[in-house]
Each structure stands twice: as C-alpha cells, then as structure tokens.
Amino acid sequence: MTLGETKGIILFTKDYKEKDKLVKIFTESFGKLMFFVKGAHRKNNPIGPAILPFTEAVYIGDFREEGLSFLNGSKEVYPLRVIQEDIFVNAYATYILNLVDAAIEDRTYDPNLYHFVQQALKLLNENKDAEIITNIFEIQLLSRFGITPEWRHCSVCQETRGKFDYSSKYSGVLCERHWHLDEHRYHADPRAIHFIRLFSAVSYDKVQDINVKAETKTAIRQTVDELYDEYVGINLKSKKFIDQMKSWEDTLKLPKREREEEKDDKTLS
C-alpha cells in the first residue's frame, strides 16, 4: 500500500451497491487502478466532481498493489466540459479511453502513455478534429499491443517517396514498385497510407496543420479498421457506436464540422 497523491484521468465508473462506486482511473504514477469510493452517491460528497466521466484531477488515497485502491480526496479538478457536453466528441473520447484500458495491464507504469492520452483529450476538448486525433492515437497505440509496422519506408528497398500500400507479409509498407511481391496487400487508398505514415510519427502539437477531406477520412478509417481487425482483434462498444454515429451525424452536424470537411487534404510539408 502506498499513501499519497497522483494525477489521474477517469476511465470509467460503475455503481457498486446503492451508495458506492467503483472508479477506474489511469494514474500518472501507478498506471490503471480500480478505486472503491464509499458514499459516492451521497449528495454534496466533496469527491463527487472529481469522479465524473472525462475529468482529470490530482487524486489522494491508498494506492494498492493488489485488490481495490481507495480514494480519500482530490484537488486541482479539471472537468473536460466540451467532451462531457458534445455527444460526437464524447464518442471519440470514450473510444480512446477504452483503447487505453485494453492496451495495457492494470498497475503498468506508463507515464508516456498517460501524457499521450492527456494530449489527445485536451485537443478533443478544444474541438480539434476528433477523427484525426483518434486516428493518430490508434496508430501510435499499436506498439502497446506489440505491433510495430514499418511505416517510415518501403520494407523492401527503403524508398520514402511515392505511393505506398500496406503488406502484412512484410509487416510494413511497400512502395509501388514492389506491390507485385504481395498480391494480398491491403489495396488501400494511397492517400490513406500517406496519412497513416504521417500519423505514425507526428506529434499532437502539429494536428492543427493537418486537414483531411471527408472521403480521405473514410479511406483512413477503413485501413485503420483493417489493421486493428488483423492485429488487435478487440470489439469495443464505443467503436461500434462511432460507426453507427457516422450514419446519422450529417443531420446533426455543426456548421464548423461542415466547413472542416470541405477542406482539401493538407499536411505539413
């Protein structure tokens, strides 16, 4: 048992009996932990705001190596209001947090991943392009599942320019001159592979310089889904919800989203 405090991000909560809650938190110092919060449903419980979904705070408590940990208090509570209130942004944030929960074991110390999640949620909360933020997260998270495709250059000749496709046989991209070596390559849209290669190495502070047309986003989504189906094989309800959401999103789309989708594909030079 360790008594102390750590920054943390709420992954999910669930009711436990009538008045209590179990709260899963991704902590900066101890990895993912499940906490028991006694009297969580009690009116005016001071810890209540800190255990709402999509909240970051400094959590004070007993951090245990086995079983449930216990929250005693919180400070520096930062609710991610846009994510909490916008159903579209909420869906992508939920999926990102579900991926984190699936990617590493509980109590795995991973401050780099913590900061990566922190950055992704911050950008979502600033109404940046949720699809692009999520795609970058998915591609860079593959390493946590033990998957490290070669995105930098052709797996055969190390070419870095031109059109590319993904090959499971070569565990990476092939330039157009070597597509014939794998008849079962993905046959993906070259624009999708171009952006995925970019996403594999780009930092989140460059997201505002990436603009992608709606049709290219669809091609990226298809290719990322194929990668996850082949290598990761998880079925998350939050991902299914995003897929369903796309079918009715147009009727509820905000003007800002409409303008964004009219932009041409653009990346950092």
Side-chain angles (χ1 to χ4, degrees), residues 118-165:
Q118 192 180 45
Q119 285 181 299
L121 295 181
K122 179 178 181 292
L123 290 170
L124 289 177
N125 200 56
E126 293 173 354
N127 263 322
K128 303 300 183 184
D129 193 316
E131 291 174 87
I132 298 303
I133 292 165
T134 302
N135 290 152
I136 291 171
F137 194 88
E138 290 171 302
I139 294 301
Q140 295 193 22
L141 191 69
L142 282 172
S143 63
R144 296 307 195 285
F145 291 105
I147 312 302
T148 55
E150 178 56 77
W151 299 112
R152 296 168 298 174
H153 49 66
C154 175
S155 297
V156 175
C157 69
Q158 287 72 57
E159 177 62 72
T160 60
R161 297 184 180 183
K163 292 182 180 181
F164 292 85
D165 197 4

Side-chain angles (χ1 to χ4, degrees), residues 42-59:
R42 190 176 71 245
K43 189 176 182 180
N44 298 324
N45 186 329
I47 207 170
I51 59 173
L52 291 174
F54 311 112
T55 298
E56 183 175 13
V58 174
Y59 296 96

Side-chain angles (χ1 to χ4, degrees), residues 200-248:
S200 71
V202 73
S203 61
Y204 269 136
D205 60 2
K206 302 296 185 183
V207 166
Q208 62 185 2
D209 299 311
I210 302 174
N211 299 316
V212 185
K213 291 190 296 185
E215 62 188 57
T216 306
K217 287 183 179 180
T218 298
I220 293 169
R221 178 76 270 154
Q222 291 173 345
T223 304
V224 174
D225 283 351
E226 193 167 356
L227 284 164
Y228 266 73
D229 287 345
E230 177 176 2
Y231 290 111
V232 181
I234 55 175
N235 296 301
L236 300 175
K237 291 182 179 179
S238 52
K239 175 57 170 60
K240 293 179 181 178
F241 180 77
I242 289 174
D243 293 341
Q244 294 168 352
M245 183 177 68
K246 297 297 291 183
S247 66
W248 48 262

